[in-house]
Amino acid sequence: MPYPETAEGFLVHDQKKWTEFKKGEFKLKPFEDRDVDVAIDACGVCGSDVHTINGGWGDAPMPICVGHEVVGRAVKVGKDVKTIKVGDRVGVGAQIGADLTCKNCKADQENYCPNAIDTYGAPYPDGTLSQGGYSSHIRAHEYFTFKIPDNIPTELAAPMLCAGLTTYSPLVRLGVGPGKKVGVVGLGGLGHFGILWATALGAEVYALSTSTHKKEDALKLGAKHFILTKDADWAKQIPFTLDFILNCADATHKFKLSDYFSTLKVNGTFHNVGFPDEPLPTIKAQDFAPNGCYIGASHIGNRPEMLAMFELASKQNIKSWVETIDISEAGCKEAVERVYKNDVKYRFTLVNYDKVFGKRA
């Protein structure tokens, strides 16, 4: 049966054949009173999509339709929906559900809800499996559906919904602003957002990278300093300098973390948002002792942070660096292969959905 019972999408059927996408139907969860149905126009391609379909993060339910940086038009809203109306341009990020009643949810920490539902690959209470945005439609709870400001183009808004929020949230929560010095490690999809947001929030940004050729881009994005970290003594240039390091790299297992820690001020924080397939390198407790630093990580962000991030991007005219690819079996294959190879500057957005799914709104 077609929409509204099902949607069409490009699905992976085997993690061993993770670049093979086949167009097919999947079941949508039952429509409820606070749900919003979205006819999708674009979806960002996230590193999470690749880690999921290739098994880097472990087994995933198959077949699966990935994609959690979704932008489209609301085509149906439940009777209790207050913030979205039919016709609105909206986005859905990496979380599509939560109980909204637990102590975390009541404290605006719904991204840490024990009953959170990921946008793809997660079961709903009725047993339906959530499926993502490489598809014709998505059905989302109003709380996890966001109006997109008019002056942010669809293809640029899409990657903000995961990569943008994932980097914005920890920067804000750790007090980044004027007078702070922030190091951003890894100039890729996440790292380019880290530089954009930290700069917009008023911090002095240091880009830390192993790639000499990324210096020009880092400075264009707003960094004031570029530190090449492939040299043995690189950390000696900036001892006790940074209030905060946002680690966006996908190769932390190769790092000598004590070097990075040495660049932090007393009680500074080394914060991870890049989640590689490999475990962290061995760390000794005494590695934290010279400056009393901390290490941590975070998971996406909450609704108030998503709204504030879009407001900041709208007011300051912040533009993510995006390449577009037409959605198709071949287009999905190209996108995930190139993300895997870091062959993108700096995010992909799949576009031209009407060509393969028809006009749905």
Side-chain angles (χ1 to χ4, degrees):
M1 255 181 138
Y3 173 80
E5 280 76 27
T6 66
E8 283 188 293
F10 292 96
L11 297 104
V12 171
H13 291 258
D14 185 343
Q15 287 182 313
K16 293 178 181 176
K17 300 177 181 178
W18 61 273
T19 64
E20 293 184 13
F21 291 81
K22 296 179 181 177
K23 191 179 179 186
E25 279 191 68
F26 57 82
K27 180 185 174 185
L28 294 170
K29 78 172 207 59
F31 191 85
E32 298 177 74
D33 291 339
R34 289 193 67 191
D35 283 346
V36 178
D37 278 0
V38 181
I40 301 173
D41 291 320
C43 184
V45 179
C46 185
S48 303
D49 302 346
V50 176
H51 289 295
T52 298
I53 60 177
N54 72 6
W57 286 349
D59 292 339
M62 294 286 155
I64 193 167
C65 179
V66 293
H68 57 203
E69 299 178 334
V70 181
V71 179
R73 293 146 292 157
V75 293
K76 181 181 179 181
V77 300
K79 68 180 182 65
D80 293 335
V81 171
K82 301 288 194 297
T83 60
I84 305 291
K85 65 182 186 299
V86 170
D88 284 346
R89 187 172 62 128
V90 297
V92 178
Q95 184 177 0
I96 207 164
D99 59 41
L100 299 180
T101 58
C102 70
K103 61 184 179 182
N104 288 351
C105 287
K106 289 179 178 178
D108 284 334
Q109 306 284 12
E110 71 276 0
N111 47 315
Y112 299 108
C113 174
N115 297 306
I117 301 172
D118 293 335
T119 297
Y120 56 75
Y124 283 101
D126 78 315
T128 304
L129 190 72
S130 63
Q131 300 285 9
Y134 297 11
S135 62
S136 62
H137 297 82
I138 196 164
R139 179 165 291 162
H141 190 283
E142 170 189 21
Y143 197 80
F144 300 98
T145 309
F146 305 88
K147 287 185 70 171
I148 305 296
D150 292 340
N151 65 334
I152 303 178
T154 291
E155 69 274 13
L156 303 189
M160 294 182 183
L161 288 152
C162 177
L165 181 63
T166 295
T167 47
Y168 177 84
S169 172
L171 290 171
V172 171
R173 292 191 185 204
L174 285 157
V176 169
K180 299 293 186 180
K181 294 183 178 182
V182 177
V184 177
V185 180
L187 183 49
L190 290 170
H192 104 284
F193 272 119
I195 295 174
L196 286 170
W197 299 140
T199 300
L201 292 167
E204 182 178 341
V205 179
Y206 291 67
L208 280 60
S209 175
T210 59
S211 304
T212 308
H213 67 275
K214 290 186 176 179
K215 179 177 181 178
E216 185 178 349
D217 287 352
L219 298 178
K220 284 181 180 178
L221 287 161
K224 296 298 183 187
H225 312 274
F226 182 86
I227 306 295
L228 191 63
T229 58
K230 66 181 181 181
D231 299 329
D233 294 330
W234 69 268
K236 294 180 180 178
Q237 301 174 62
I238 49 169
F240 298 102
T241 299
L242 305 174
D243 296 279
F244 178 58
I245 292 176
L246 186 71
N247 179 26
C248 304
D250 205 14
T252 309
H253 60 287
K254 299 178 181 178
F255 289 2
K256 185 181 177 184
L257 284 175
S258 58
D259 283 350
Y260 289 85
F261 296 166
S262 75
T263 69
L264 290 165
K265 292 180 181 177
V266 173
N267 297 146
T269 301
F270 183 93
H271 190 90
N272 297 277
V273 292
F275 291 171
D277 297 344
E278 303 295 329
L280 291 174
T282 301
I283 308 173
K284 294 181 179 180
Q286 50 264 51
D287 290 337
F288 300 94
N291 54 1
C293 66
Y294 297 86
I295 188 170
S298 56
H299 176 60
I300 53 175
N302 63 22
R303 179 177 176 85
E305 289 163 346
M306 182 82 86
L307 296 171
M309 176 196 72
F310 274 120
E311 183 179 5
L312 179 69
S314 176
K315 285 184 175 179
Q316 294 200 22
N317 198 31
I318 295 168
K319 305 292 187 187
S320 48
W321 291 19
V322 170
E323 298 181 47
T324 59
I325 295 178
D326 286 0
I327 190 168
S328 65
E329 291 176 356
C332 293
K333 174 182 172 69
E334 178 190 349
V336 298
E337 285 181 340
R338 288 180 59 190
V339 168
Y340 181 76
K341 297 174 184 174
N342 292 318
D343 178 25
V344 56
K345 192 186 283 190
Y346 281 98
R347 299 294 286 194
F348 281 127
T349 300
L350 297 169
V351 296
N352 288 325
Y353 275 52
D354 286 351
K355 286 184 178 180
V356 292
F357 298 121
K359 290 197 178 292
R360 292 142 291 134

